[in-house]
Amino acid sequence: MIKKSDRTGLTGTSASPGLRIENCGEPHNIFLQTHQVAEKVAEGELDSGFAIVRPPGHHAEADEAMGFCLFNNVAVAASYLLNERPDLGIKKILIVDWDVHHGNGTQKMFWKDPRVLFFSVHRHEYGGFYPAGDDGYYSMVGEGTGEGFNINVPWEHGRCGDADYLAAWDHILIPVAKEFNPDIILLSAGFDAAIGHPLGGCRVFTFANQSF
């Protein structure tokens, strides 16, 4: 989703075309890529946009596709705004990833970049849950000038629900986001933490995702 709030907001999980854009309450089905939607929000042409397309993107790394992800769509959009369209004045981007799996690809792409604050809340299982390893651990905070701009909230078991996610929002994400004061927010909105998902194992209700 891309949304211009007091500053701006974006949510999207695909570089593939086929996006539903909402502006002033009127939905339009158009043929755009995620970075193009982000561009339109940054330009003020749209208030917000939501990508309802496949494949997702947050596992894809710079030189490797993985986890059903071919291209890291949100990372492409962020890089495009920061590096290809400096005229738009987007200098700081918050990327929020609430997919049940850690956004390893997005994390690696902005590991040393203080212009991007990456926040991921995910099931971790002490490194045993996909994509496995230590990348999703809370101690992974970035490196160099990017140190402190990478935040992981790892669940070490399944069954986490609305109260857990909202607590992470209230006590970690929102205070940090207010201090960071981003120009635009990109959201990797995977819904596999929803109750009943066969792989996620968490218990988030749909209305809670809407309230996020």
Side-chain angles (χ1 to χ4, degrees):
M1 179 176 181
I2 308 168
K3 186 174 183 180
K4 216 163 191 176
S5 56
D6 301 332
R7 306 280 291 229
T8 319
L10 159 72
T11 310
T13 54
S14 181
S16 303
L19 300 172
R20 178 182 176 84
I21 307 303
E22 295 188 7
N23 190 29
C24 301
E26 294 296 326
H28 305 280
N29 291 315
I30 59 178
F31 214 54
L32 291 179
Q33 296 183 356
T34 302
H35 77 278
Q36 294 172 308
V37 180
E39 183 178 44
K40 290 183 178 294
V41 172
E43 290 173 337
E45 182 177 343
L46 295 173
D47 295 325
S48 64
F50 196 99
I52 314 177
V53 288
R54 299 288 285 174
H58 71 157
H59 292 309
E61 300 184 0
D63 57 356
E64 181 180 5
M66 59 184 295
F68 307 112
C69 302
L70 302 180
F71 301 99
N72 196 316
N73 316 294
V74 162
V76 168
S79 180
Y80 177 75
L81 292 179
L82 290 171
N83 301 315
E84 302 298 327
R85 292 299 311 272
D87 55 299
L88 294 176
I90 303 297
K91 300 183 182 300
K92 294 192 295 181
I93 296 177
L94 169 63
I95 299 178
V96 177
D97 189 335
W98 71 35
D99 189 284
V100 77
H101 303 95
H102 178 239
N104 57 292
T106 309
Q107 173 174 292
K108 289 183 178 180
M109 292 190 188
F110 301 107
W111 185 246
K112 298 181 179 181
D113 195 336
R115 300 174 299 171
V116 176
L117 174 62
F118 176 62
F119 175 91
S120 178
V121 55
H122 50 272
R123 187 173 171 186
H124 188 244
E125 300 282 0
Y126 300 98
F129 197 72
Y130 190 86
D134 296 331
D135 286 345
Y137 203 50
Y138 69 85
S139 59
M140 303 296 282
V141 296
E143 183 180 345
T145 57
E147 184 175 359
F149 293 90
N150 193 88
I151 300 174
N152 287 315
V153 179
W155 306 133
E156 303 304 0
H157 56 79
R159 304 181 303 282
C160 293
D162 298 351
D164 304 292
Y165 279 78
L166 292 174
W169 259 231
D170 291 342
H171 297 288
I172 304 175
L173 174 59
I174 293 176
V176 172
K178 286 182 177 179
E179 182 176 349
F180 183 63
N181 196 23
D183 297 302
I184 194 168
I185 301 171
L186 314 185
L187 174 60
S188 291
F191 291 101
D192 44 6
I195 188 168
H197 191 280
L199 298 179
C202 289
R203 298 178 177 178
V204 177
F205 285 92
T206 302
F207 69 82
N209 278 321
Q210 292 173 341
S211 71
F212 292 164

